[in-house]
Amino acid sequence: MAAGGSGGGPGGLSSSSSSSSGPPPPPGNGAAAAACTNGPPASPPGLTYNQCGAGNPAAAAAAAAGGPGSGGSAAAAAPGGAAGGPLQREPVYNWQATKPTVQERFAFLFNNEVLSDVHFLVGKGRGSQRIPAHRFLYSDEVQIGPETVMTTLYTAKKYAVPALEAHCVEFLKKNLRADNAFMLLTQARLFDEPQLASLCLENIDKNTSDAINAEGFTDIDLDTLVAVLERDTLGIREVRLFNAVVRWSEAECQRQQLQVIPENKRKVLGKALSLIRFPLMTIEEFAAGPAQSGILTDREVVSLFLHFTVNPKPRVEFIDRPRCCLRGKECSINRFQQVESRWGYSGTSDRIRFSVNKRIFVVGFGLYGSIHGPTDYQVNIQIIHTDSNTVLGQNDTGFSCDGSSSTFRVMFKEPVEILPNVSYTACATLKGPDSHYGTKGLRKVIHESPTTGAKTCFTFCYAAGNNNGTSVEDGQIPEIIFYT
């Protein structure tokens, strides 16, 4: 246990000592001996020195260690004194002789008036207690529980005890769960524990739904909310994230004693509102929720409806970058070795079948753009389970190109899981002018991880039926963007 005399700690503790000095010298040093031979320092308000070394943490430590100034016999009167005569000290028994080890001596001093140099007043009124303490650590043994860990961490930080601090952080890491991740994240940011904060954020990424439904979510501060909403790795649909943020705004209105109305919800959200990625919602989700919430302005609602329904899509004030709850580095493969000009579109989908040798998550395609300079395209992309003809993922969106033969990214709103050795069909339906296209296509393309050397093998096959001419050898959909 670390006891400090500066007061102001958590848990309603107040100190009867007015001392605000720095940490005491190490146990058993020369200062302890000097405290006994030269007399104790003047007693701070509320403290009474009744023994050699009282009020001096170095002397107390020396006494526990059995060193100089340990008070092993009745203390002699100080050679000097005040005008009224020498300071009188009460005789003490040789308690150290009954404690053969340093650990036992320190344990004896715990909660003991002997050599106490500070008192803590705990509680109020008649129920208050005056607890003696010493400004050093009694031992390196510590028992931490969920109810005490944060106050112990506060104390360890305040009195610069890194070993105790590390013990608290390790306890928090072991007890980190989805239902307390937001509470611990707030505390980690408060106590400047970046490693713990990082672990909390990773837990929230993996268990976003459970974390935002936990009771502690609505108790976090605005800065913590912003830090979470800025992440690209949250694993949850955006409309559910919006609903959780609305719950937080209602709780914050109550904390600020504001009426819970849309205007005040928007006010307390501040920057956080702009971090909701409304373009990632479907038009049905947006119409049923955010558009009717009253939190968005009429101009914002109209702008977002236009974004959902018009091509080319107008610019909106909200982020349209997909969130991807996947770890590791984004990968991509290109199945063509050469690029040519003039691939036309008449409303038919370009389609190509593919399979992989391991489980991956596809997040988008790379598509060719116009041969006529900068142009906007309207596009619908899909991944279909070939055997069942089930659409596993799609996005009706658009992209802008610069007239070069480069590929241009078109992303799904959520990652699409691709299982090993299963046939899938990649589809892209473009509306726009003639574009570049790929030739000298490869039937097998292998991606090798630059860090682990792991290989992901793609096998491409002809998709029968309406495919706008795309095949293994020529056509559109040159790139698949994925995570392993």
Side-chain angles (χ1 to χ4, degrees):
M1 170 184 177
S6 59
L13 299 182
S14 62
S15 169
S16 63
S17 168
S18 61
S19 170
S20 59
S21 60
N29 67 6
C36 287
T37 57
N38 298 329
S43 301
L47 297 184
T48 301
Y49 294 109
N50 60 359
Q51 192 171 346
C52 175
N56 187 326
S70 63
S73 60
L87 178 67
Q88 299 298 316
R89 297 178 180 154
E90 301 173 8
V92 294
Y93 68 97
N94 187 5
W95 59 271
Q96 292 94 330
T98 66
K99 313 295 178 187
T101 67
V102 173
Q103 182 175 0
E104 288 178 295
R105 293 169 190 162
F106 276 118
F108 172 81
L109 292 177
F110 175 65
N111 248 5
N112 198 319
E113 292 284 354
V114 173
L115 298 178
S116 169
D117 67 334
V118 64
H119 289 79
F120 289 103
L121 301 179
V122 182
K124 297 180 179 180
R126 294 184 177 180
S128 65
Q129 290 180 282
R130 188 170 181 266
I131 300 175
H134 310 76
R135 278 173 284 189
F136 59 86
L137 294 180
Y138 296 97
S139 76
D140 59 0
E141 296 178 2
V142 60
Q143 291 182 341
I144 296 176
E147 297 81 13
T148 60
V149 62
M150 297 316 304
T151 50
T152 306
L153 179 58
Y154 173 92
T155 305
K157 287 274 191 180
K158 181 172 183 177
Y159 295 104
V161 188
L164 182 59
E165 178 185 335
H167 197 92
C168 293
V169 172
E170 190 62 30
F171 177 89
L172 293 171
K173 291 178 184 176
K174 291 179 180 178
N175 289 272
L176 174 61
R177 306 182 307 273
D179 62 356
N180 64 13
F182 273 107
M183 182 274 290
L184 293 182
L185 175 61
T186 301
Q187 299 296 328
R189 288 166 57 84
L190 175 65
F191 290 121
D192 190 25
E193 290 289 345
Q195 186 181 18
L196 177 60
S198 178
L199 290 174
C200 291
L201 288 169
E202 289 181 13
N203 189 289
I204 291 168
D205 286 343
K206 295 176 183 177
N207 308 282
T208 310
S209 181
D210 291 337
I212 66 171
N213 287 325
E215 185 176 340
F217 169 72
T218 56
D219 296 330
I220 64 177
D221 60 278
L222 178 60
D223 288 341
T224 301
L225 178 65
V226 167
V228 172
L229 294 179
E230 286 176 336
R231 296 178 69 77
D232 292 332
T233 46
L234 299 177
I236 191 172
R237 289 198 63 81
E238 204 69 19
V239 68
R240 295 187 61 193
L241 189 61
F242 170 78
N243 292 335
V245 169
V246 171
R247 283 189 5 252
W248 181 91
S249 70
E250 293 169 351
E252 183 65 13
C253 283
Q254 293 175 346
R255 282 191 287 269
Q256 296 189 22
Q257 298 182 336
L258 298 173
Q259 187 178 359
V260 183
I261 57 176
E263 292 81 1
N264 287 337
K265 292 180 189 179
R266 183 183 179 98
K267 176 182 177 181
V268 299
L269 282 171
K271 178 186 176 182
L273 181 62
S274 66
L275 299 175
I276 300 295
R277 304 184 185 186
F278 296 102
L280 301 186
M281 301 178 186
T282 65
I283 188 171
E284 293 81 9
E285 289 172 339
F286 179 74
Q292 301 182 47
S293 68
I295 294 177
L296 296 174
T297 65
D298 291 343
R299 184 178 61 82
E300 289 167 339
V301 171
V302 171
S303 174
L304 285 163
F305 270 123
L306 289 174
H307 175 83
F308 289 123
T309 57
V310 174
N311 281 294
K313 297 186 179 298
R315 293 180 61 86
V316 291
E317 299 175 3
F318 299 96
I319 303 168
D320 60 359
R321 184 174 65 253
R323 299 189 195 268
C324 179
C325 56
L326 304 174
R327 298 294 176 274
K329 185 176 177 61
E330 181 184 283
C331 309
S332 67
I333 55 99
N334 191 316
R335 65 191 187 94
F336 293 121
Q337 301 178 78
Q338 187 172 316
V339 182
E340 298 290 349
S341 297
R342 201 167 298 280
W343 194 263
Y345 304 99
S346 58
T348 304
S349 299
D350 287 273
R351 303 158 75 93
I352 189 71
R353 287 172 55 191
F354 72 96
S355 62
V356 291
N357 67 330
K358 62 191 295 185
R359 179 173 178 251
I360 65 170
F361 291 87
V362 173
V363 295
F365 299 148
L367 302 178
Y368 291 120
S370 173
I371 60 175
H372 301 295
T375 308
D376 292 323
Y377 280 87
Q378 181 180 350
V379 60
N380 174 273
I381 58 172
Q382 295 182 343
I383 289 183
I384 300 172
H385 185 275
T386 303
D387 292 341
S388 65
N389 204 36
T390 302
V391 177
L392 303 178
Q394 69 170 332
N395 192 14
D396 192 1
T397 182
F399 71 94
S400 299
C401 63
D402 58 9
S404 71
S405 60
S406 302
T407 57
F408 300 90
R409 293 160 60 95
V410 181
M411 310 300 284
F412 291 100
K413 290 188 175 182
E414 293 182 334
V416 180
E417 182 181 20
I418 303 297
L419 299 177
N421 306 315
V422 175
S423 177
Y424 299 90
T425 303
C427 303
T429 308
L430 283 77
K431 291 182 181 180
D434 292 349
S435 73
H436 294 90
Y437 70 98
T439 63
K440 297 184 178 181
L442 300 171
R443 188 169 296 275
K444 285 194 175 182
V445 180
I446 296 176
H447 178 276
E448 183 173 346
S449 169
T451 54
T452 66
K455 295 181 179 180
T456 306
C457 180
F458 288 77
T459 302
F460 293 94
C461 301
Y462 179 76
N466 295 329
N467 53 32
N468 199 42
T470 286
S471 66
V472 174
E473 293 77 18
D474 307 286
Q476 259 285 14
I477 318 179
E479 286 185 349
I480 294 180
I481 305 167
F482 67 98
Y483 283 78
T484 56

